[in-house]
């Protein structure tokens, strides 16, 4: 524990927090009333708060702590680099060894079309780079009218002006005059809401067909790119049918538009493959990453640039007027190198693919017998449980009840971090999680579901 943590009580932390800290995605007044939970340290898959509670972190921080907390290699890599060269930029024809080595290693672990990377400081910035790069690409090819990027409703691509515009969250668009021009949205591949009555496979093809419809609506010669998360994370861990992505690829190829895979959550092993595009069988031209690249130990993001785009930027380009102070930050890159080597050495991707991913799927399947659980989905080490009022019809609870939040409170009260997206209860635990820890998590999840059910029965919501 560091010194400051020892010297203040929870109440003192909460008072100072409410007085000065505007938290992201937070109702400030409500947080000030309730007081934050103060997380003071972590080890493995467990967090510890200022009240001495131990909490199983089934969200990997914020979908990022893939290798778990307390990994000394990462700490040492950062410390060594801080001592040697804490910062130098990559502008003006300079580079640092960690940035070069990380670029080399990323080219090795990503699909073969990726030999180049553009670094950013976060996933949102990475997606800003995507918008700039996609438009630059078509400009260089003499087709500047191709500027429209198609995304999906309920997508999450970050919170900067471009990231939030690419995202399909109505609440975000409502604040700040978004989306920016040239970004349009189509429906998401959410079978439970949009595909009931069709088989999942048929629905996957129908949902991908909405891309073709949107291309024709916009005008095929205006469309620059399509962007999507292989599995929509923040939207509620919506795993598309297996038929969806191959059809999206076919349509992108047919119209010659760029395919962008936002791998900020799905990258670095989350789906049981290094990248989600490999799990779903696409060949993206650009791939955004962040989070798992450093397991969240230090901020880093970027865009993998496929040969199709890289060759144009390099051969025809001239100067690309874009970049960030922290593009290729040497300390962040040193941590990423240690993190990726650790993932390789411990075989974490293979472990998720062959062992813990299938085991999680089995355990989540067993929750189908719970009276509140409608749909169940997993993909690698992420999963969702949809709470429904009526299992047979899939009818939801009234939104105003906020049943997901009720369930989430029971999780928190019970030593488990699980997130609620509406009534979808979602997890994305660290990839180091063992079978025994999955069992332990399932006990906590079932207990939270039972307590939520008891609330629903007591209040006559069922
Ligand atoms: C798919 C996806 N893209 C982009 C982002 C934005 O990343 P950041 O919060 O690092 O800016 C997120 C964050 O959750 C994400 O899930």
């Amino acid at each position: 524990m560091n010194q400051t943590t020892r010297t203040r009580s929870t109440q003192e932390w909460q008072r100072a927090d409410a007085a000065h800290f505007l938290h992201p995605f937070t109702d400030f007044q409500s947080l000030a009333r309730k007081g934050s939970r103060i997380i003071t340290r972590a080890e493995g898959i467990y967090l510890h708060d200022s009240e001495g509670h131990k909490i199983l972190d089934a969200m990997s921080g914020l979908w990022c702590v893939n290798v778990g907390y307390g990994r000394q290699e990462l700490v040492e890599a950062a410390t060594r680099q801080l001592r040697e060269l804490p910062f130098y930029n990559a502008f003006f024809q300079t580079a640092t060894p960690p940035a070069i080595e990380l670029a080399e290693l990323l080219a090795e672990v990503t699909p073969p079309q990726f030999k180049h990377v553009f670094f950013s400081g976060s996933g949102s910035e990475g997606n800003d780079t995507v918008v700039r790069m996609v438009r630059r690409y078509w400009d260089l090819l003499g087709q500047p009218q191709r500027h429209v990027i198609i995304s999906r409703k309920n997508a999450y691509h970050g919170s900067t002006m471009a990231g939030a515009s690419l995202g399909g969250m109505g609440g975000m668009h409502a604040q700040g005059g978004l989306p920016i021009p040239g970004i349009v949205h189509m429906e998401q591949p959410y079978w439970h809401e949009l595909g009931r009555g069709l088989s999942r496979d048929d629905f996957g093809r129908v949902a991908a067909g909405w891309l073709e419809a949107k291309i024709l609506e916009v005008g095929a010669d205006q469309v620059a790119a399509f962007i999507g998360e292989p599995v929509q994370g923040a939207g509620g861990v919506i795993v598309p049918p297996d038929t969806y992505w191959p059809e999206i690829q076919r349509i992108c190829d047919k119209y010659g538009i760029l395919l962008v895979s936002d791998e900020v959550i799905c990258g670095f092993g989350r789906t049981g493959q290094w990248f989600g595009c490999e799990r779903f069988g696409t060949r993206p031209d650009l791939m955004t990453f962040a989070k798992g690249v450093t397991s969240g130990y230090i901020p880093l993001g970027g865009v993998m640039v496929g040969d199709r785009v890289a060759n144009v930027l390099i051969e025809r380009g001239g100067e690309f007027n874009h970049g960030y102070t922290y593009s290729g930050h040497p300390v962040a890159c040193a941590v990423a190198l240690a993190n990726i080597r650790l993932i390789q050495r411990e075989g974490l991707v293979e472990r998720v693919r062959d062992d813990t991913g299938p085991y999680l799927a089995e355990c989540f399947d067993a929750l189908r017998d719970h009276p509140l659980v409608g749909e169940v989905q997993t993909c690698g080490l992420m999963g969702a449980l949809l709470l429904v009022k009526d299992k047979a019809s899939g009818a939801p609870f009234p939104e105003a009840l906020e049943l997901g939040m009720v369930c989430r409170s029971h999780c928190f009260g019970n030593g488990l971090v699980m997130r609620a997206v509406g009534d979808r209860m979602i997890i994305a635990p660290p990839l180091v999680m063992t079978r025994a820890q999955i069992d332990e998590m399932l006990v906590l999840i079932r207990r939270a579901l039972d307590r939520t059910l008891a609330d629903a029965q007591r209040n006559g919501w069922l």
Side-chain angles (χ1 to χ4, degrees):
M1 231 188 270
N2 68 34
Q3 251 189 349
T4 32
T5 312
R6 261 191 259 127
T7 54
R8 291 195 188 189
S9 69
T10 301
Q11 291 70 28
E12 285 166 335
W13 281 123
Q14 288 174 333
R15 259 197 304 278
D17 182 48
H20 302 293
F21 186 3
L22 297 178
H23 292 231
F25 285 98
T26 292
D27 175 334
F28 306 126
Q29 286 189 7
S30 153
L31 183 71
R33 263 196 314 277
K34 286 190 225 148
S36 315
R37 180 168 225 174
I38 312 296
I39 303 299
T40 51
R41 63 193 177 88
E43 190 61 36
I45 64 162
Y46 301 99
L47 307 168
H48 297 265
D49 72 12
S50 55
E51 295 288 282
H53 297 116
K54 183 177 174 187
I55 308 151
L56 193 160
D57 183 10
M59 281 307 299
S60 303
L62 207 51
W63 320 84
C64 49
V65 188
N66 289 10
V67 298
Y69 297 95
R71 306 305 301 255
Q72 287 312 299
E73 291 104 303
L74 275 61
V75 178
E76 278 153 25
T79 311
R80 220 179 302 122
Q81 189 58 44
L82 278 164
R83 287 210 182 94
E84 193 154 315
L85 179 69
F87 178 75
Y88 202 73
N89 68 69
F91 289 39
F92 317 127
Q93 299 187 16
T94 56
T96 63
I100 298 169
E101 265 190 53
L102 179 60
E104 212 174 19
L105 184 58
L106 286 169
E108 184 188 312
V109 299
T110 54
Q113 70 271 29
F114 295 115
K115 298 186 191 70
H116 295 87
V117 61
F118 195 101
F119 288 117
S120 68
S122 68
S124 301
E125 283 180 4
N127 281 327
D128 277 49
T129 296
V130 161
V131 173
R132 298 286 310 277
M133 200 175 270
V134 159
R135 290 183 175 164
R136 175 81 180 140
Y137 168 82
W138 287 113
D139 279 353
L140 288 170
L141 289 180
Q143 299 183 54
Q145 83 289 350
R146 274 209 194 237
H147 69 292
V148 176
I149 300 177
I150 300 177
S151 181
R152 301 176 299 179
K153 295 181 185 169
N154 199 34
Y156 188 77
H157 295 297
S159 196
T160 51
M161 295 293 276
S165 295
L166 289 171
M169 303 287 179
M172 293 177 76
H173 292 171
Q175 297 177 355
L178 303 178
I180 56 174
I183 294 175
V184 299
H185 298 83
M186 60 186 235
E187 281 295 353
Q188 58 179 328
Y190 185 15
W191 176 86
H192 186 84
E193 226 172 68
L194 302 167
R196 291 170 78 86
L198 293 176
S199 72
R200 280 185 62 86
D201 279 355
D202 285 347
F203 173 67
R205 282 182 283 270
V206 168
W210 295 330
L211 174 59
E212 186 155 32
K214 188 55 88 176
I215 291 170
L216 296 175
E217 180 192 319
V218 170
D221 63 334
Q222 309 282 305
V223 179
F226 171 77
I227 184 168
E229 307 153 76
V231 173
Q232 287 156 260
V237 181
I238 293 166
V239 185
D242 279 340
T243 48
Y244 180 74
W245 277 108
E247 185 62 6
I248 291 282
Q249 177 77 63
R250 189 190 67 75
I251 294 165
C252 287
D253 291 347
K254 178 174 170 188
Y255 293 95
I257 71 176
L258 297 171
L259 176 57
V260 186
S261 192
D262 183 340
E263 301 268 357
V264 168
I265 283 177
C266 292
F268 301 97
R270 175 62 56 198
T271 68
Q273 299 286 336
W274 274 89
F275 293 90
C277 58
E278 297 167 298
R279 160 69 180 77
F280 291 99
T282 57
R283 278 174 291 98
D285 300 297
L286 298 169
M287 201 165 78
T288 321
F289 63 88
K291 297 188 188 272
V293 67
T294 58
S295 285
Y297 278 52
I298 195 163
L300 179 69
V303 181
M304 293 307 299
V305 184
D307 292 338
R308 173 181 172 189
V309 176
N311 291 342
V312 171
L313 290 178
I314 294 166
E315 283 161 22
R316 304 195 188 193
E319 183 165 329
F320 181 35
N321 298 318
H322 176 68
Y324 310 103
T325 298
Y326 301 127
S327 289
H329 192 293
V331 181
C333 292
V335 172
L337 280 166
N339 176 64
I340 295 170
R341 287 177 184 144
L342 194 156
I343 294 174
Q344 288 176 317
R345 199 176 61 246
E346 296 191 350
L348 291 181
V349 181
E350 296 73 21
R351 194 203 292 187
V352 172
R353 184 190 64 204
D354 301 332
D355 182 23
T356 47
Y359 186 60
L360 177 72
E362 223 175 89
C363 294
F364 257 45
D365 235 30
L367 290 171
R368 284 182 200 275
D369 68 0
H370 194 278
L372 283 182
V373 174
E375 198 190 31
V376 170
Q377 288 198 301
T378 64
C379 179
L381 271 202
M382 55 182 151
L385 303 168
L386 177 66
L387 309 182
V388 294
K389 187 172 157 74
D390 181 64
K391 280 171 86 88
S393 67
F397 284 94
E399 226 174 278
L401 293 180
E402 295 194 334
L403 201 75
M405 296 304 278
V406 173
C407 185
R408 195 185 73 158
S409 300
H410 286 307
C411 292
F412 275 176
N414 197 23
L416 172 70
V417 175
M418 194 175 188
R419 185 155 151 187
V421 178
D423 288 346
R424 282 177 85 79
M425 302 305 301
I426 62 175
I427 59 157
L431 308 187
V432 290
M433 192 178 221
T434 62
R435 279 182 175 235
Q437 288 170 331
I438 292 177
D439 291 341
E440 182 188 333
M441 176 177 71
L442 262 289
V443 170
L444 298 176
I445 291 177
R446 200 174 268 280
R447 194 176 297 155
L449 289 171
D450 288 344
R451 290 179 181 172
T452 308
L453 177 63
D455 285 346
Q457 286 165 335
R458 198 172 33 250
N459 294 315
W461 295 339
L462 274 169

